[in-house]
PDB file of all heavy atoms in Angstrom:
ATOM      1  N   SER G1490      12.001   4.447  -9.673  1.00  0.00           N
ATOM      2  CA  SER G1490      12.917   4.978  -8.663  1.00  0.00           C
ATOM      3  C   SER G1490      12.481   4.608  -7.251  1.00  0.00           C
ATOM      4  O   SER G1490      13.308   4.533  -6.347  1.00  0.00           O
ATOM      5  CB  SER G1490      13.055   6.498  -8.805  1.00  0.00           C
ATOM      6  OG  SER G1490      11.861   7.141  -8.432  1.00  0.00           O
ATOM      7  N   LEU G1491      11.193   4.359  -7.042  1.00  0.00           N
ATOM      8  CA  LEU G1491      10.711   3.960  -5.727  1.00  0.00           C
ATOM      9  C   LEU G1491      10.911   2.483  -5.453  1.00  0.00           C
ATOM     10  O   LEU G1491      10.760   2.033  -4.324  1.00  0.00           O
ATOM     11  CB  LEU G1491       9.219   4.283  -5.585  1.00  0.00           C
ATOM     12  CG  LEU G1491       8.878   5.749  -5.437  1.00  0.00           C
ATOM     13  CD1 LEU G1491       7.370   5.932  -5.454  1.00  0.00           C
ATOM     14  CD2 LEU G1491       9.465   6.308  -4.162  1.00  0.00           C
ATOM     15  N   SER G1492      11.257   1.721  -6.470  1.00  0.00           N
ATOM     16  CA  SER G1492      11.359   0.279  -6.285  1.00  0.00           C
ATOM     17  C   SER G1492      12.802  -0.203  -6.177  1.00  0.00           C
ATOM     18  O   SER G1492      13.119  -1.318  -6.533  1.00  0.00           O
ATOM     19  CB  SER G1492      10.644  -0.440  -7.429  1.00  0.00           C
ATOM     20  OG  SER G1492      11.263  -0.140  -8.657  1.00  0.00           O
ATOM     21  N   VAL G1493      13.678   0.637  -5.661  1.00  0.00           N
ATOM     22  CA  VAL G1493      15.055   0.239  -5.425  1.00  0.00           C
ATOM     23  C   VAL G1493      15.044  -0.948  -4.474  1.00  0.00           C
ATOM     24  O   VAL G1493      14.381  -0.917  -3.443  1.00  0.00           O
ATOM     25  CB  VAL G1493      15.855   1.412  -4.804  1.00  0.00           C
ATOM     26  CG1 VAL G1493      17.243   0.962  -4.405  1.00  0.00           C
ATOM     27  CG2 VAL G1493      15.909   2.576  -5.762  1.00  0.00           C
ATOM     28  N   SER G1494      15.754  -2.022  -4.807  1.00  0.00           N
ATOM     29  CA  SER G1494      15.708  -3.213  -3.951  1.00  0.00           C
ATOM     30  C   SER G1494      16.649  -3.090  -2.761  1.00  0.00           C
ATOM     31  O   SER G1494      16.345  -3.557  -1.680  1.00  0.00           O
ATOM     32  CB  SER G1494      16.019  -4.461  -4.761  1.00  0.00           C
ATOM     33  OG  SER G1494      17.323  -4.385  -5.270  1.00  0.00           O
ATOM     34  N   SER G1495      17.778  -2.455  -2.932  1.00  0.00           N
ATOM     35  CA  SER G1495      18.684  -2.292  -1.809  1.00  0.00           C
ATOM     36  C   SER G1495      19.734  -1.253  -2.168  1.00  0.00           C
ATOM     37  O   SER G1495      20.231  -1.219  -3.293  1.00  0.00           O
ATOM     38  CB  SER G1495      19.352  -3.626  -1.479  1.00  0.00           C
ATOM     39  OG  SER G1495      20.152  -3.481  -0.336  1.00  0.00           O
ATOM     40  N   GLU G1496      20.044  -0.427  -1.193  1.00  0.00           N
ATOM     41  CA  GLU G1496      21.015   0.626  -1.426  1.00  0.00           C
ATOM     42  C   GLU G1496      21.663   0.927  -0.077  1.00  0.00           C
ATOM     43  O   GLU G1496      20.977   0.988   0.945  1.00  0.00           O
ATOM     44  CB  GLU G1496      20.271   1.845  -1.965  1.00  0.00           C
ATOM     45  CG  GLU G1496      21.113   2.986  -2.424  1.00  0.00           C
ATOM     46  CD  GLU G1496      20.249   4.046  -3.078  1.00  0.00           C
ATOM     47  OE1 GLU G1496      19.466   4.692  -2.359  1.00  0.00           O
ATOM     48  OE2 GLU G1496      20.349   4.199  -4.292  1.00  0.00           O
ATOM     49  N   GLY G1497      22.963   1.085  -0.047  1.00  0.00           N
ATOM     50  CA  GLY G1497      23.593   1.340   1.236  1.00  0.00           C
ATOM     51  C   GLY G1497      24.841   2.175   1.130  1.00  0.00           C
ATOM     52  O   GLY G1497      25.488   2.241   0.095  1.00  0.00           O
ATOM     53  N   TYR G1498      25.138   2.817   2.222  1.00  0.00           N
ATOM     54  CA  TYR G1498      26.358   3.595   2.352  1.00  0.00           C
ATOM     55  C   TYR G1498      26.812   3.458   3.793  1.00  0.00           C
ATOM     56  O   TYR G1498      26.069   3.817   4.717  1.00  0.00           O
ATOM     57  CB  TYR G1498      26.115   5.062   1.997  1.00  0.00           C
ATOM     58  CG  TYR G1498      27.338   5.926   2.146  1.00  0.00           C
ATOM     59  CD1 TYR G1498      28.348   5.885   1.204  1.00  0.00           C
ATOM     60  CD2 TYR G1498      27.489   6.751   3.252  1.00  0.00           C
ATOM     61  CE1 TYR G1498      29.482   6.661   1.345  1.00  0.00           C
ATOM     62  CE2 TYR G1498      28.616   7.540   3.404  1.00  0.00           C
ATOM     63  CZ  TYR G1498      29.611   7.491   2.450  1.00  0.00           C
ATOM     64  OH  TYR G1498      30.736   8.238   2.587  1.00  0.00           O
ATOM     65  N   SER G1499      27.958   2.895   3.992  1.00  0.00           N
ATOM     66  CA  SER G1499      28.483   2.639   5.325  1.00  0.00           C
ATOM     67  C   SER G1499      27.474   1.798   6.105  1.00  0.00           C
ATOM     68  O   SER G1499      27.060   0.751   5.649  1.00  0.00           O
ATOM     69  CB  SER G1499      28.810   3.955   6.025  1.00  0.00           C
ATOM     70  OG  SER G1499      29.491   3.704   7.243  1.00  0.00           O
ATOM     71  N   ALA G1500      27.017   2.262   7.251  1.00  0.00           N
ATOM     72  CA  ALA G1500      26.071   1.484   8.067  1.00  0.00           C
ATOM     73  C   ALA G1500      24.618   1.755   7.699  1.00  0.00           C
ATOM     74  O   ALA G1500      23.709   1.075   8.154  1.00  0.00           O
ATOM     75  CB  ALA G1500      26.287   1.795   9.545  1.00  0.00           C
ATOM     76  N   ALA G1501      24.368   2.756   6.876  1.00  0.00           N
ATOM     77  CA  ALA G1501      22.988   3.091   6.486  1.00  0.00           C
ATOM     78  C   ALA G1501      22.568   2.259   5.280  1.00  0.00           C
ATOM     79  O   ALA G1501      23.337   2.063   4.342  1.00  0.00           O
ATOM     80  CB  ALA G1501      22.890   4.571   6.153  1.00  0.00           C
ATOM     81  N   ARG G1502      21.353   1.752   5.295  1.00  0.00           N
ATOM     82  CA  ARG G1502      20.856   0.932   4.200  1.00  0.00           C
ATOM     83  C   ARG G1502      19.395   1.250   3.942  1.00  0.00           C
ATOM     84  O   ARG G1502      18.627   1.447   4.863  1.00  0.00           O
ATOM     85  CB  ARG G1502      21.000  -0.545   4.556  1.00  0.00           C
ATOM     86  CG  ARG G1502      20.580  -1.444   3.413  1.00  0.00           C
ATOM     87  CD  ARG G1502      21.043  -2.844   3.556  1.00  0.00           C
ATOM     88  NE  ARG G1502      22.197  -3.392   2.903  1.00  0.00           N
ATOM     89  CZ  ARG G1502      22.990  -2.905   1.965  1.00  0.00           C
ATOM     90  NH1 ARG G1502      22.831  -1.727   1.528  1.00  0.00           N
ATOM     91  NH2 ARG G1502      23.963  -3.587   1.453  1.00  0.00           N
ATOM     92  N   THR G1503      19.030   1.289   2.662  1.00  0.00           N
ATOM     93  CA  THR G1503      17.654   1.505   2.251  1.00  0.00           C
ATOM     94  C   THR G1503      17.238   0.346   1.366  1.00  0.00           C
ATOM     95  O   THR G1503      17.958  -0.034   0.446  1.00  0.00           O
ATOM     96  CB  THR G1503      17.517   2.815   1.438  1.00  0.00           C
ATOM     97  OG1 THR G1503      18.029   3.887   2.231  1.00  0.00           O
ATOM     98  CG2 THR G1503      16.090   3.084   1.067  1.00  0.00           C
ATOM     99  N   THR G1504      16.058  -0.213   1.626  1.00  0.00           N
ATOM    100  CA  THR G1504      15.542  -1.311   0.826  1.00  0.00           C
ATOM    101  C   THR G1504      14.081  -1.034   0.505  1.00  0.00           C
ATOM    102  O   THR G1504      13.308  -0.632   1.369  1.00  0.00           O
ATOM    103  CB  THR G1504      15.640  -2.648   1.597  1.00  0.00           C
ATOM    104  OG1 THR G1504      17.005  -2.855   1.956  1.00  0.00           O
ATOM    105  CG2 THR G1504      15.151  -3.798   0.753  1.00  0.00           C
ATOM    106  N   TYR G1505      13.706  -1.218  -0.744  1.00  0.00           N
ATOM    107  CA  TYR G1505      12.321  -1.057  -1.178  1.00  0.00           C
ATOM    108  C   TYR G1505      11.871  -2.341  -1.855  1.00  0.00           C
ATOM    109  O   TYR G1505      12.663  -3.026  -2.477  1.00  0.00           O
ATOM    110  CB  TYR G1505      12.178   0.096  -2.176  1.00  0.00           C
ATOM    111  CG  TYR G1505      12.590   1.427  -1.629  1.00  0.00           C
ATOM    112  CD1 TYR G1505      13.849   1.951  -1.894  1.00  0.00           C
ATOM    113  CD2 TYR G1505      11.734   2.166  -0.834  1.00  0.00           C
ATOM    114  CE1 TYR G1505      14.247   3.170  -1.392  1.00  0.00           C
ATOM    115  CE2 TYR G1505      12.123   3.395  -0.324  1.00  0.00           C
ATOM    116  CZ  TYR G1505      13.373   3.890  -0.607  1.00  0.00           C
ATOM    117  OH  TYR G1505      13.745   5.097  -0.107  1.00  0.00           O
ATOM    118  N   ALA G1506      10.615  -2.645  -1.761  1.00  0.00           N
ATOM    119  CA  ALA G1506      10.074  -3.827  -2.442  1.00  0.00           C
ATOM    120  C   ALA G1506       9.911  -3.523  -3.919  1.00  0.00           C
ATOM    121  O   ALA G1506       9.318  -2.512  -4.289  1.00  0.00           O
ATOM    122  CB  ALA G1506       8.728  -4.202  -1.832  1.00  0.00           C
ATOM    123  N   ARG G1507      10.416  -4.402  -4.760  1.00  0.00           N
ATOM    124  CA  ARG G1507      10.330  -4.185  -6.205  1.00  0.00           C
ATOM    125  C   ARG G1507       8.908  -4.311  -6.739  1.00  0.00           C
ATOM    126  O   ARG G1507       8.582  -3.741  -7.759  1.00  0.00           O
ATOM    127  CB  ARG G1507      11.226  -5.171  -6.943  1.00  0.00           C
ATOM    128  CG  ARG G1507      12.671  -4.811  -6.852  1.00  0.00           C
ATOM    129  CD  ARG G1507      13.340  -5.115  -8.184  1.00  0.00           C
ATOM    130  NE  ARG G1507      14.676  -4.603  -8.175  1.00  0.00           N
ATOM    131  CZ  ARG G1507      15.009  -3.389  -8.634  1.00  0.00           C
ATOM    132  NH1 ARG G1507      14.097  -2.593  -9.100  1.00  0.00           N
ATOM    133  NH2 ARG G1507      16.255  -2.989  -8.620  1.00  0.00           N
ATOM    134  N   ASP G1508       8.057  -5.063  -6.073  1.00  0.00           N
ATOM    135  CA  ASP G1508       6.715  -5.294  -6.610  1.00  0.00           C
ATOM    136  C   ASP G1508       5.658  -4.371  -6.026  1.00  0.00           C
ATOM    137  O   ASP G1508       4.481  -4.551  -6.279  1.00  0.00           O
ATOM    138  CB  ASP G1508       6.308  -6.750  -6.399  1.00  0.00           C
ATOM    139  CG  ASP G1508       6.236  -7.114  -4.925  1.00  0.00           C
ATOM    140  OD1 ASP G1508       6.755  -6.352  -4.089  1.00  0.00           O
ATOM    141  OD2 ASP G1508       5.661  -8.171  -4.625  1.00  0.00           O
ATOM    142  N   SER G1509       6.074  -3.397  -5.237  1.00  0.00           N
ATOM    143  CA  SER G1509       5.066  -2.493  -4.695  1.00  0.00           C
ATOM    144  C   SER G1509       5.458  -1.047  -4.946  1.00  0.00           C
ATOM    145  O   SER G1509       6.622  -0.687  -4.921  1.00  0.00           O
ATOM    146  CB  SER G1509       4.876  -2.732  -3.197  1.00  0.00           C
ATOM    147  OG  SER G1509       6.029  -2.343  -2.497  1.00  0.00           O
ATOM    148  N   ALA G1510       4.472  -0.256  -5.213  1.00  0.00           N
ATOM    149  CA  ALA G1510       4.622   1.179  -5.419  1.00  0.00           C
ATOM    150  C   ALA G1510       3.277   1.786  -5.066  1.00  0.00           C
ATOM    151  O   ALA G1510       2.281   1.069  -4.995  1.00  0.00           O
ATOM    152  CB  ALA G1510       4.995   1.475  -6.872  1.00  0.00           C
ATOM    153  N   PRO G1511       3.231   3.067  -4.839  1.00  0.00           N
ATOM    154  CA  PRO G1511       1.935   3.683  -4.547  1.00  0.00           C
ATOM    155  C   PRO G1511       0.919   3.337  -5.639  1.00  0.00           C
ATOM    156  O   PRO G1511       1.253   3.333  -6.829  1.00  0.00           O
ATOM    157  CB  PRO G1511       2.245   5.180  -4.537  1.00  0.00           C
ATOM    158  CG  PRO G1511       3.704   5.256  -4.210  1.00  0.00           C
ATOM    159  CD  PRO G1511       4.318   4.041  -4.832  1.00  0.00           C
ATOM    160  N   GLU G1512      -0.308   3.022  -5.213  1.00  0.00           N
ATOM    161  CA  GLU G1512      -1.288   2.554  -6.195  1.00  0.00           C
ATOM    162  C   GLU G1512      -1.636   3.613  -7.238  1.00  0.00           C
ATOM    163  O   GLU G1512      -1.995   3.270  -8.353  1.00  0.00           O
ATOM    164  CB  GLU G1512      -2.537   1.981  -5.522  1.00  0.00           C
ATOM    165  CG  GLU G1512      -3.397   2.934  -4.784  1.00  0.00           C
ATOM    166  CD  GLU G1512      -4.585   2.248  -4.117  1.00  0.00           C
ATOM    167  OE1 GLU G1512      -5.013   1.151  -4.523  1.00  0.00           O
ATOM    168  OE2 GLU G1512      -5.103   2.834  -3.162  1.00  0.00           O
ATOM    169  N   HIS G1513      -1.489   4.895  -6.915  1.00  0.00           N
ATOM    170  CA  HIS G1513      -1.777   5.903  -7.941  1.00  0.00           C
ATOM    171  C   HIS G1513      -0.749   5.855  -9.066  1.00  0.00           C
ATOM    172  O   HIS G1513      -1.088   6.076 -10.220  1.00  0.00           O
ATOM    173  CB  HIS G1513      -1.924   7.304  -7.341  1.00  0.00           C
ATOM    174  CG  HIS G1513      -0.697   7.875  -6.713  1.00  0.00           C
ATOM    175  ND1 HIS G1513      -0.252   7.506  -5.467  1.00  0.00           N
ATOM    176  CD2 HIS G1513       0.179   8.801  -7.165  1.00  0.00           C
ATOM    177  CE1 HIS G1513       0.840   8.185  -5.165  1.00  0.00           C
ATOM    178  NE2 HIS G1513       1.122   8.976  -6.185  1.00  0.00           N
ATOM    179  N   PHE G1514       0.511   5.548  -8.758  1.00  0.00           N
ATOM    180  CA  PHE G1514       1.514   5.377  -9.815  1.00  0.00           C
ATOM    181  C   PHE G1514       1.162   4.179 -10.681  1.00  0.00           C
ATOM    182  O   PHE G1514       1.234   4.231 -11.901  1.00  0.00           O
ATOM    183  CB  PHE G1514       2.909   5.176  -9.240  1.00  0.00           C
ATOM    184  CG  PHE G1514       3.567   6.424  -8.720  1.00  0.00           C
ATOM    185  CD1 PHE G1514       4.627   6.336  -7.846  1.00  0.00           C
ATOM    186  CD2 PHE G1514       3.148   7.685  -9.097  1.00  0.00           C
ATOM    187  CE1 PHE G1514       5.259   7.467  -7.364  1.00  0.00           C
ATOM    188  CE2 PHE G1514       3.760   8.825  -8.629  1.00  0.00           C
ATOM    189  CZ  PHE G1514       4.820   8.718  -7.754  1.00  0.00           C
ATOM    190  N   ALA G1515       0.799   3.074 -10.026  1.00  0.00           N
ATOM    191  CA  ALA G1515       0.449   1.860 -10.767  1.00  0.00           C
ATOM    192  C   ALA G1515      -0.732   2.095 -11.684  1.00  0.00           C
ATOM    193  O   ALA G1515      -0.839   1.486 -12.748  1.00  0.00           O
ATOM    194  CB  ALA G1515       0.152   0.717  -9.798  1.00  0.00           C
ATOM    195  N   ALA G1516      -1.630   3.003 -11.297  1.00  0.00           N
ATOM    196  CA  ALA G1516      -2.799   3.319 -12.119  1.00  0.00           C
ATOM    197  C   ALA G1516      -2.503   4.395 -13.163  1.00  0.00           C
ATOM    198  O   ALA G1516      -3.378   4.752 -13.951  1.00  0.00           O
ATOM    199  CB  ALA G1516      -3.956   3.772 -11.221  1.00  0.00           C
ATOM    200  N   GLY G1517      -1.281   4.925 -13.176  1.00  0.00           N
ATOM    201  CA  GLY G1517      -0.913   5.942 -14.166  1.00  0.00           C
ATOM    202  C   GLY G1517      -1.290   7.358 -13.771  1.00  0.00           C
ATOM    203  O   GLY G1517      -1.259   8.266 -14.593  1.00  0.00           O
ATOM    204  N   ILE G1518      -1.640   7.562 -12.507  1.00  0.00           N
ATOM    205  CA  ILE G1518      -2.028   8.892 -12.019  1.00  0.00           C
ATOM    206  C   ILE G1518      -0.845   9.475 -11.237  1.00  0.00           C
ATOM    207  O   ILE G1518      -0.475   8.945 -10.186  1.00  0.00           O
ATOM    208  CB  ILE G1518      -3.292   8.817 -11.120  1.00  0.00           C
ATOM    209  CG1 ILE G1518      -4.453   8.181 -11.867  1.00  0.00           C
ATOM    210  CG2 ILE G1518      -3.660  10.191 -10.573  1.00  0.00           C
ATOM    211  CD1 ILE G1518      -4.944   8.946 -13.089  1.00  0.00           C
ATOM    212  N   PRO G1519      -0.244  10.570 -11.727  1.00  0.00           N
ATOM    213  CA  PRO G1519       0.978  11.084 -11.109  1.00  0.00           C
ATOM    214  C   PRO G1519       0.779  11.958  -9.875  1.00  0.00           C
ATOM    215  O   PRO G1519       1.728  12.541  -9.390  1.00  0.00           O
ATOM    216  CB  PRO G1519       1.610  11.897 -12.244  1.00  0.00           C
ATOM    217  CG  PRO G1519       0.451  12.372 -13.032  1.00  0.00           C
ATOM    218  CD  PRO G1519      -0.559  11.258 -12.972  1.00  0.00           C
ATOM    219  N   SER G1520      -0.431  12.052  -9.375  1.00  0.00           N
ATOM    220  CA  SER G1520      -0.709  12.909  -8.230  1.00  0.00           C
ATOM    221  C   SER G1520      -1.473  12.137  -7.153  1.00  0.00           C
ATOM    222  O   SER G1520      -2.553  11.601  -7.414  1.00  0.00           O
ATOM    223  CB  SER G1520      -1.539  14.116  -8.686  1.00  0.00           C
ATOM    224  OG  SER G1520      -2.141  14.758  -7.589  1.00  0.00           O
ATOM    225  N   ALA G1521      -0.915  12.115  -5.946  1.00  0.00           N
ATOM    226  CA  ALA G1521      -1.594  11.444  -4.832  1.00  0.00           C
ATOM    227  C   ALA G1521      -2.901  12.151  -4.487  1.00  0.00           C
ATOM    228  O   ALA G1521      -3.895  11.512  -4.145  1.00  0.00           O
ATOM    229  CB  ALA G1521      -0.682  11.391  -3.615  1.00  0.00           C
ATOM    230  N   LEU G1522      -2.932  13.479  -4.584  1.00  0.00           N
ATOM    231  CA  LEU G1522      -4.156  14.220  -4.295  1.00  0.00           C
ATOM    232  C   LEU G1522      -5.238  13.901  -5.328  1.00  0.00           C
ATOM    233  O   LEU G1522      -6.400  13.683  -4.973  1.00  0.00           O
ATOM    234  CB  LEU G1522      -3.877  15.728  -4.258  1.00  0.00           C
ATOM    235  CG  LEU G1522      -5.067  16.632  -3.951  1.00  0.00           C
ATOM    236  CD1 LEU G1522      -5.724  16.246  -2.624  1.00  0.00           C
ATOM    237  CD2 LEU G1522      -4.615  18.091  -3.925  1.00  0.00           C
ATOM    238  N   ALA G1523      -4.874  13.830  -6.589  1.00  0.00           N
ATOM    239  CA  ALA G1523      -5.841  13.459  -7.626  1.00  0.00           C
ATOM    240  C   ALA G1523      -6.396  12.066  -7.349  1.00  0.00           C
ATOM    241  O   ALA G1523      -7.590  11.816  -7.489  1.00  0.00           O
ATOM    242  CB  ALA G1523      -5.201  13.515  -9.008  1.00  0.00           C
ATOM    243  N   TRP G1524      -5.524  11.148  -6.946  1.00  0.00           N
ATOM    244  CA  TRP G1524      -5.955   9.786  -6.634  1.00  0.00           C
ATOM    245  C   TRP G1524      -6.958   9.796  -5.486  1.00  0.00           C
ATOM    246  O   TRP G1524      -7.942   9.067  -5.498  1.00  0.00           O
ATOM    247  CB  TRP G1524      -4.746   8.920  -6.308  1.00  0.00           C
ATOM    248  CG  TRP G1524      -5.081   7.485  -6.106  1.00  0.00           C
ATOM    249  CD1 TRP G1524      -5.047   6.793  -4.940  1.00  0.00           C
ATOM    250  CD2 TRP G1524      -5.522   6.555  -7.103  1.00  0.00           C
ATOM    251  NE1 TRP G1524      -5.429   5.491  -5.145  1.00  0.00           N
ATOM    252  CE2 TRP G1524      -5.734   5.313  -6.469  1.00  0.00           C
ATOM    253  CE3 TRP G1524      -5.762   6.652  -8.472  1.00  0.00           C
ATOM    254  CZ2 TRP G1524      -6.160   4.185  -7.146  1.00  0.00           C
ATOM    255  CZ3 TRP G1524      -6.188   5.523  -9.151  1.00  0.00           C
ATOM    256  CH2 TRP G1524      -6.388   4.310  -8.490  1.00  0.00           C
ATOM    257  N   LYS G1525      -6.706  10.643  -4.502  1.00  0.00           N
ATOM    258  CA  LYS G1525      -7.625  10.768  -3.359  1.00  0.00           C
ATOM    259  C   LYS G1525      -9.008  11.222  -3.836  1.00  0.00           C
ATOM    260  O   LYS G1525     -10.025  10.761  -3.334  1.00  0.00           O
ATOM    261  CB  LYS G1525      -7.049  11.762  -2.355  1.00  0.00           C
ATOM    262  CG  LYS G1525      -7.859  11.933  -1.111  1.00  0.00           C
ATOM    263  CD  LYS G1525      -7.192  12.923  -0.174  1.00  0.00           C
ATOM    264  CE  LYS G1525      -8.068  13.214   1.018  1.00  0.00           C
ATOM    265  NZ  LYS G1525      -7.474  14.221   1.907  1.00  0.00           N
ATOM    266  N   TYR G1526      -9.051  12.117  -4.805  1.00  0.00           N
ATOM    267  CA  TYR G1526     -10.326  12.569  -5.373  1.00  0.00           C
ATOM    268  C   TYR G1526     -11.022  11.462  -6.174  1.00  0.00           C
ATOM    269  O   TYR G1526     -12.241  11.332  -6.149  1.00  0.00           O
ATOM    270  CB  TYR G1526     -10.128  13.768  -6.298  1.00  0.00           C
ATOM    271  CG  TYR G1526      -9.678  15.045  -5.634  1.00  0.00           C
ATOM    272  CD1 TYR G1526      -8.817  15.915  -6.294  1.00  0.00           C
ATOM    273  CD2 TYR G1526     -10.113  15.408  -4.368  1.00  0.00           C
ATOM    274  CE1 TYR G1526      -8.405  17.102  -5.710  1.00  0.00           C
ATOM    275  CE2 TYR G1526      -9.705  16.589  -3.775  1.00  0.00           C
ATOM    276  CZ  TYR G1526      -8.849  17.434  -4.459  1.00  0.00           C
ATOM    277  OH  TYR G1526      -8.450  18.609  -3.875  1.00  0.00           O
ATOM    278  N   LEU G1527     -10.247  10.680  -6.915  1.00  0.00           N
ATOM    279  CA  LEU G1527     -10.806   9.701  -7.854  1.00  0.00           C
ATOM    280  C   LEU G1527     -11.166   8.363  -7.232  1.00  0.00           C
ATOM    281  O   LEU G1527     -12.125   7.715  -7.657  1.00  0.00           O
ATOM    282  CB  LEU G1527      -9.816   9.461  -9.001  1.00  0.00           C
ATOM    283  CG  LEU G1527      -9.554  10.656  -9.904  1.00  0.00           C
ATOM    284  CD1 LEU G1527      -8.356  10.382 -10.807  1.00  0.00           C
ATOM    285  CD2 LEU G1527     -10.780  11.003 -10.715  1.00  0.00           C
ATOM    286  N   LYS G1528     -10.417   7.932  -6.253  1.00  0.00           N
ATOM    287  CA  LYS G1528     -10.585   6.584  -5.720  1.00  0.00           C
ATOM    288  C   LYS G1528     -12.014   6.269  -5.273  1.00  0.00           C
ATOM    289  O   LYS G1528     -12.514   5.173  -5.557  1.00  0.00           O
ATOM    290  CB  LYS G1528      -9.590   6.333  -4.592  1.00  0.00           C
ATOM    291  CG  LYS G1528      -9.526   4.870  -4.220  1.00  0.00           C
ATOM    292  CD  LYS G1528      -8.367   4.564  -3.322  1.00  0.00           C
ATOM    293  CE  LYS G1528      -8.404   3.078  -2.992  1.00  0.00           C
ATOM    294  NZ  LYS G1528      -7.316   2.670  -2.167  1.00  0.00           N
ATOM    295  N   PRO G1529     -12.745   7.183  -4.606  1.00  0.00           N
ATOM    296  CA  PRO G1529     -14.126   6.860  -4.214  1.00  0.00           C
ATOM    297  C   PRO G1529     -15.071   6.623  -5.398  1.00  0.00           C
ATOM    298  O   PRO G1529     -16.143   6.059  -5.230  1.00  0.00           O
ATOM    299  CB  PRO G1529     -14.570   8.078  -3.406  1.00  0.00           C
ATOM    300  CG  PRO G1529     -13.321   8.742  -2.972  1.00  0.00           C
ATOM    301  CD  PRO G1529     -12.315   8.467  -4.051  1.00  0.00           C
ATOM    302  N   LEU G1530     -14.686   7.050  -6.585  1.00  0.00           N
ATOM    303  CA  LEU G1530     -15.530   6.898  -7.770  1.00  0.00           C
ATOM    304  C   LEU G1530     -15.277   5.585  -8.512  1.00  0.00           C
ATOM    305  O   LEU G1530     -16.028   5.238  -9.425  1.00  0.00           O
ATOM    306  CB  LEU G1530     -15.294   8.060  -8.741  1.00  0.00           C
ATOM    307  CG  LEU G1530     -15.536   9.457  -8.187  1.00  0.00           C
ATOM    308  CD1 LEU G1530     -15.106  10.505  -9.192  1.00  0.00           C
ATOM    309  CD2 LEU G1530     -16.978   9.636  -7.789  1.00  0.00           C
ATOM    310  N   LEU G1531     -14.227   4.883  -8.126  1.00  0.00           N
ATOM    311  CA  LEU G1531     -13.862   3.659  -8.829  1.00  0.00           C
ATOM    312  C   LEU G1531     -14.780   2.510  -8.451  1.00  0.00           C
ATOM    313  O   LEU G1531     -15.364   2.495  -7.374  1.00  0.00           O
ATOM    314  CB  LEU G1531     -12.411   3.292  -8.526  1.00  0.00           C
ATOM    315  CG  LEU G1531     -11.368   4.317  -8.965  1.00  0.00           C
ATOM    316  CD1 LEU G1531      -9.982   3.861  -8.543  1.00  0.00           C
ATOM    317  CD2 LEU G1531     -11.435   4.573 -10.453  1.00  0.00           C
ATOM    318  N   GLY G1532     -14.857   1.540  -9.349  1.00  0.00           N
ATOM    319  CA  GLY G1532     -15.618   0.330  -9.068  1.00  0.00           C
ATOM    320  C   GLY G1532     -14.991  -0.412  -7.905  1.00  0.00           C
ATOM    321  O   GLY G1532     -13.914  -0.052  -7.424  1.00  0.00           O
ATOM    322  N   ASN G1533     -15.618  -1.444  -7.472  1.00  0.00           N
ATOM    323  CA  ASN G1533     -15.135  -2.218  -6.332  1.00  0.00           C
ATOM    324  C   ASN G1533     -13.784  -2.837  -6.665  1.00  0.00           C
ATOM    325  O   ASN G1533     -13.685  -3.697  -7.525  1.00  0.00           O
ATOM    326  CB  ASN G1533     -16.144  -3.307  -5.965  1.00  0.00           C
ATOM    327  CG  ASN G1533     -15.743  -4.040  -4.721  1.00  0.00           C
ATOM    328  OD1 ASN G1533     -14.712  -3.791  -4.127  1.00  0.00           O
ATOM    329  ND2 ASN G1533     -16.594  -4.954  -4.293  1.00  0.00           N
ATOM    330  N   THR G1534     -12.739  -2.367  -5.973  1.00  0.00           N
ATOM    331  CA  THR G1534     -11.396  -2.893  -6.210  1.00  0.00           C
ATOM    332  C   THR G1534     -10.909  -3.720  -5.036  1.00  0.00           C
ATOM    333  O   THR G1534      -9.736  -4.037  -4.942  1.00  0.00           O
ATOM    334  CB  THR G1534     -10.390  -1.742  -6.459  1.00  0.00           C
ATOM    335  OG1 THR G1534     -10.415  -0.865  -5.319  1.00  0.00           O
ATOM    336  CG2 THR G1534     -10.723  -0.991  -7.718  1.00  0.00           C
TER     337      THR G1534
END
């Protein structure tokens, strides 16, 4: 749902990049706060 490429209504338009999403989603972690706790423990990324 965050990777909508383009959406518009009248003069308003929303565009999202299809290949990018928050890195916690990409890692399978559904909480940004949890990701904040875990990220310092990860190997060199």
Side-chain angles (χ1 to χ4, degrees):
S1490 70
L1491 287 174
S1492 63
V1493 173
S1494 63
S1495 184
E1496 187 173 69
Y1498 179 76
S1499 188
R1502 184 164 261 351
T1503 304
T1504 303
Y1505 300 98
R1507 284 218 172 267
D1508 62 345
S1509 68
E1512 67 182 337
H1513 65 282
F1514 284 161
I1518 303 297
S1520 163
L1522 181 56
W1524 186 250
K1525 183 179 174 183
Y1526 293 145
L1527 295 168
K1528 192 168 179 178
L1530 302 173
L1531 298 177
N1533 185 358
T1534 58

